[in-house]
Amino acid sequence: MSETRGAHRSASISLLNACSNACVFCAHDDAESPPAMASLFASGARALTLSGGEPTLEPEALERALIAAKSAGFVDIRLQTNGHRLAALAPRLASLGLTSVHLSVHGPDAASHDYHTGRDGSLDALWAGAGAALRAGLRVVATTVLTRSSYRQLAELPTLLRARGIAAWHLAVPLARGRLQENFDRVYPRLGMALPFALQAMQIARRSQLPTYLSGAPLCLLGPLASRAIRTLEPTQSRSFHTRCEGCKARPQCPGVDPLYLARFDGDELRPRDDVPTSADDEALASLFTGIGNLAPFRAQRTHEPVQRSRIALPMYGRAQRGQQEATTREAKTGEGLRAILPALFNVKPEGET
Amino acid sequence: MANIGYLQVVRGCNQYCRFCSNPASGYMLDLDTARRAVDDFAERGYFGVILTGGEPSLSDLIPDITRHAVSRGLHVRMITNGSRLAKAGLAEEYFEAGLRHFHVSIHSCDEALEDFLTGVKGSHTLAMEALENLGRVGATVNINTVINRFNADHLDRNVRAFTERFPFLRHFVWNNLDPSMGRAETNRDTAHRLADFELSLARAMRFLHASGRTFRVERVPLCYMVEFAHCSTETRKIIKGEERMVHFLDEKGTVRQTDFRHPKAPDCRSCTLNSICGGLFELGDHYDLGELHPVFIDPAPIVLKVKSDPDA
């Protein structure tokens, strides 16, 4: 797979499918055998991302890939990794020509990050790996995926990432594929709730001088920050638009919303924009990041109907049914009847109590 | 601790709500029993009593019960659909007797929808007239809304519409539908999913908060109301160690509730709000534990807010 991006046309190769994390939002699919490095280089790409699964699980294959990439002529070689084995491998990988490391940070603390990766200790391992990569002279960038469990802590991340030496930050609205499609209700955030937190975090990142970039968000929910998010890393054909989007001037640049999200919530947050956000200079920044590689296929899935549709024809529902224990007579039970159901008020001990 | 007792006065109603949790049982309170219940609340040191039903205003005993409760030092409120309070004079009569705080149940600002939900044409108009009358006598009026599939997407429009027309409304209560009880159990079309109301509830809460109003939310797990966790009825009761007693006019009889924690999902164990969250009420097989998700925010400010500011 290859795409035009920034200074260098970039390509990516998935080295293996296995992973040592089990991220709740993983939308990655098993890759077929990758194309040869030489042919990717011949197609014009000068940057190459090595991804997985988790490429560090097979260090020898990773080293062979690095050597092949370098000898093919790639000038910028990146590694997408969960960082677990990076502490041990970073110096060797750097010496073989690796130029940068792409990590995913899901929360500022271990509780949050480790919940997302499904693996205890994964945040500690990640920071150890990031430190080793920096000491080996590698550039380290980080992605954070917006989930129901992560978006409220985004504002804490810019300062932390800067302190850890992270060079750039990518905030990603996820794609409802693979494991995320299965976990949609538990994981996929309501955009109208989550994106204000993302925008706040982007402002904090700007003040912290951490270059930041947001992908996959419909532009109508980004207000004045839309111009900092108009590039999308994922193929746009996986995205959908609401009929309401038809008059939107920003539509040609907009990534739209995930089709499953649209089916579930009927795009009730979407509004046409009456301006055209201009492209900011995030091309170079975006080029530091690679997408998730092979996307799991979109599986046809029944989703819960948006509630808005329940009101389309109210009379169709008919008169309400009687409750199971509901009385059918209008006769009022009072006096003695009340003693039977509220015995404590009459100093009568209820049955079975001594 | 401000415990409040619930007293069902009559279990008949002049509406027929699709999701009614306490439909007709045939029972009706008499004055002797009502006095006994009020005395019992007073002896337990309760702060107040809420007259409920069915539709309590269908009982002629309200002024008498109220006077007795006031004489025992209890604060008195009523949960009503407001239809009888649309009639001239009743609001004054209640107010005179000492009943000065009303929770009026209205579920939608959309007239056709409100009438559909209550099963009676004209309900919305009567509720609006009741609000006029209650406002005129100077009563404290809250709005009670049952969150259901039909109003889940416009809880924010509701509060905007109600507060615009009746600026004296200062407090709102949302009850998430309990599909295990009453008519909601048989009218499954009223059931929604948590994500259906999440956005409109958040907008409604933000609007009320920004306008200086207050609210309570019942039976909504904290992951669906994180920013206003301190306004969850269950969370407040857990933090303050409060109890609640209800005298049901049916076979359930007297129920004293002291534990407000309910079923949760395995992932809730990772959640930092787990210990102060009510989870999902005993909601039959309707709500999906798969919708619950951990959040990782500091619970301390929530606990502090509940403890330090009773009116937050």
Side-chain angles (χ1 to χ4, degrees):
Chain A
M1 139 186 217
S2 94
E3 52 200 65
T4 307
R5 173 74 35 83
H8 298 302
R9 197 172 138 83
S10 74
S12 69
I13 284 184
S14 168
L15 298 180
L16 79 168
N17 296 316
C19 186
S20 45
N21 277 349
C23 293
V24 291
F25 48 75
C26 184
H28 179 82
D29 194 24
D30 289 358
E32 296 144 25
S33 54
M37 304 261 180
S39 68
L40 282 177
F41 190 81
S43 74
R46 292 295 174 266
L48 180 72
T49 301
L50 304 172
S51 69
E54 174 48 47
T56 60
L57 288 181
E58 289 182 20
E60 285 161 22
L62 176 56
E63 289 181 11
R64 282 197 300 276
L66 273 173
I67 292 163
K70 195 156 187 210
S71 66
F74 286 102
V75 294
D76 187 359
I77 308 171
R78 305 109 174 235
L79 175 67
Q80 198 172 51
T81 172
N82 62 29
H84 293 170
R85 306 183 76 171
L86 207 52
L89 297 174
R92 170 90 179 135
L93 299 178
S95 72
L96 291 174
L98 187 68
T99 48
S100 73
V101 170
H102 182 169
L103 299 169
S104 291
V105 180
H106 310 306
D109 51 54
S112 168
H113 181 85
D114 295 358
Y115 158 74
H116 284 93
T117 61
R119 175 174 159 154
D120 286 345
S122 61
L123 185 65
D124 289 345
L126 178 137
W127 288 135
L134 289 166
R135 284 191 297 277
L138 299 171
R139 178 182 58 206
V140 182
V141 300
T143 290
T144 302
V145 173
L146 268 66
T147 73
R148 284 185 167 275
S149 299
S150 76
Y151 71 75
R152 291 186 171 88
Q153 287 183 295
L154 295 177
E156 296 174 47
L157 281 168
T159 323
L160 178 68
L161 296 175
R162 281 284 288 167
R164 293 280 185 175
I166 303 299
W169 188 31
H170 170 208
L171 282 162
V173 174
L175 290 158
R177 305 289 188 85
R179 207 172 289 136
L180 182 45
Q181 190 170 358
E182 290 161 29
N183 295 334
F184 184 84
D185 292 330
R186 173 165 64 99
V187 180
Y188 205 100
R190 198 76 154 91
L191 296 177
M193 303 281 292
L195 286 173
F197 287 85
L199 298 181
Q200 183 205 16
M202 286 172 79
Q203 291 295 63
I204 293 169
R206 173 166 275 192
R207 285 203 295 275
S208 312
Q209 295 177 318
L210 175 69
T212 301
Y213 155 77
L214 170 66
S215 73
L219 299 182
C220 55
L221 298 182
L222 303 184
L225 298 194
S227 61
R228 287 160 62 184
I230 63 171
R231 295 285 151 201
T232 175
L233 290 167
E234 307 305 334
T236 49
Q237 62 267 25
S238 67
R239 296 303 184 122
S240 300
F241 292 89
H242 194 267
T243 47
R244 205 177 292 136
C245 301
E246 267 158 29
C248 178
K249 292 208 175 111
R251 179 162 171 169
Q253 297 147 296
C254 181
V257 285
D258 194 276
L260 188 58
Y261 188 88
L262 192 64
R264 175 67 184 89
F265 296 113
D266 199 35
D268 62 357
E269 297 128 309
L270 305 178
R271 300 282 177 275
R273 279 188 84 110
D274 52 15
D275 64 335
V276 183
T278 50
S279 172
D281 53 354
D282 61 0
E283 278 283 320
L285 175 59
S287 77
L288 298 177
F289 297 93
T290 309
I292 55 172
N294 266 28
L295 262 184
F298 185 77
R299 286 179 291 101
Q301 175 178 332
R302 272 188 59 143
T303 188
H304 299 275
E305 192 182 47
V307 282
Q308 295 90 329
R309 279 184 218 154
S310 67
R311 289 200 302 278
I312 289 170
L314 289 180
M316 301 274 289
Y317 292 93
R319 191 175 156 74
Q321 302 289 311
R322 176 181 288 133
Q324 286 179 13
Q325 313 292 328
E326 192 165 346
T328 51
T329 63
R330 286 185 162 264
E331 184 191 1
K333 288 179 277 189
T334 191
E336 280 305 308
L338 296 173
R339 286 175 170 263
I341 58 167
L342 301 171
L345 294 180
F346 296 90
N347 301 316
V348 180
K349 290 209 166 74
E351 275 178 53
E353 218 175 273
T354 53
Chain B
M1 277 184 283
N3 294 323
I4 293 180
Y6 287 71
L7 190 58
Q8 296 194 340
V9 182
V10 54
R11 277 282 289 267
C13 188
N14 52 0
Q15 292 185 347
Y16 203 81
C17 289
R18 231 174 163 76
F19 42 70
C20 177
S21 54
N22 289 288
S25 66
Y27 288 99
M28 186 176 219
L29 220 53
D30 56 33
L31 193 56
D32 173 51
T33 312
R35 282 170 177 269
R36 285 170 182 270
V38 166
D39 290 343
D40 179 58
F41 289 141
E43 277 150 31
R44 287 172 187 275
Y46 273 35
F47 163 76
V49 55
I50 298 188
L51 306 176
T52 176
E55 172 49 46
S57 67
L58 295 180
S59 164
D60 297 330
L61 303 176
I62 298 301
D64 289 333
I65 298 173
T66 301
R67 276 188 286 267
H68 182 66
V70 170
S71 78
R72 295 298 314 259
L74 294 174
H75 180 262
V76 189
R77 304 184 202 179
M78 172 187 273
I79 300 178
T80 174
N81 63 35
S83 55
R84 295 199 74 225
L85 288 156
K87 199 176 64 177
L90 193 63
E92 284 82 354
E93 189 187 339
Y94 285 174
F95 194 86
E96 202 67 9
L99 171 53
R100 294 168 184 185
H101 190 147
F102 297 82
H103 294 244
V104 180
S105 299
I106 311 176
H107 312 291
S108 181
C109 59
D110 176 325
E111 189 174 336
L113 178 59
E114 176 70 9
D115 291 358
F116 164 78
L117 289 171
T118 60
V120 175
K121 271 222 177 333
S123 298
H124 183 269
T125 306
L126 290 176
M128 294 299 115
E129 286 169 15
L131 291 178
E132 298 274 5
N133 290 341
L134 290 170
R136 201 180 48 248
V137 301
T140 301
V141 188
N142 306 340
I143 299 291
N144 260 24
T145 297
V146 172
I147 303 174
N148 64 83
R149 176 164 160 249
F150 296 94
N151 68 5
D153 69 326
H154 62 272
L155 303 173
D156 53 336
R157 272 200 287 127
N158 282 352
V159 294
R160 283 174 190 278
F162 298 147
T163 55
E164 190 183 7
R165 182 156 169 197
F166 305 105
F168 59 83
L169 296 171
R170 307 303 304 167
H171 186 81
F172 287 72
V173 179
W174 287 284
N175 291 284
N176 193 22
L177 180 82
D178 180 349
S180 67
M181 273 173 85
R183 250 173 247 144
E185 198 181 3
T186 44
N187 294 285
R188 298 263 169 157
D189 48 35
T190 54
H192 55 275
R193 291 172 67 80
L194 301 171
D196 290 332
F197 65 72
E198 181 184 18
L199 187 60
S200 87
L201 178 65
R203 287 172 172 165
M205 292 191 294
R206 257 180 254 149
F207 169 77
L208 291 178
H209 179 70
S211 70
R213 293 181 169 87
T214 55
F215 49 86
R216 293 287 177 265
V217 188
E218 202 160 319
R219 287 196 289 270
V220 171
L222 292 188
C223 49
Y224 283 85
M225 52 177 297
V226 174
E227 280 65 45
F228 293 99
H230 62 284
C231 299
S232 153
T233 301
E234 286 83 3
T235 293
R236 298 183 71 82
K237 289 191 184 296
I238 290 167
I239 291 172
K240 296 201 275 185
E242 287 177 347
E243 63 177 46
R244 160 163 68 182
M245 187 179 264
V246 185
H247 292 305
F248 285 100
L249 284 179
D250 58 32
E251 311 308 322
K252 288 194 289 297
T254 302
V255 174
R256 181 164 164 250
Q257 195 185 1
T258 54
D259 186 359
F260 295 87
R261 272 168 274 236
H262 302 297
K264 293 182 180 172
D267 280 326
C268 295
R269 281 196 298 267
S270 318
C271 181
T272 53
L273 303 185
N274 191 15
S275 66
I276 55 166
C277 177
L280 276 170
F281 198 67
E282 287 138 12
L283 298 176
D285 52 1
H286 270 294
Y287 291 106
D288 180 359
L289 287 171
E291 281 201 274
L292 302 186
H293 50 277
V295 294
F296 301 94
I297 66 158
D298 184 2
I302 300 167
V303 174
L304 191 66
K305 208 174 252 182
V306 170
K307 284 187 170 165
S308 62
D309 187 358
D311 300 321

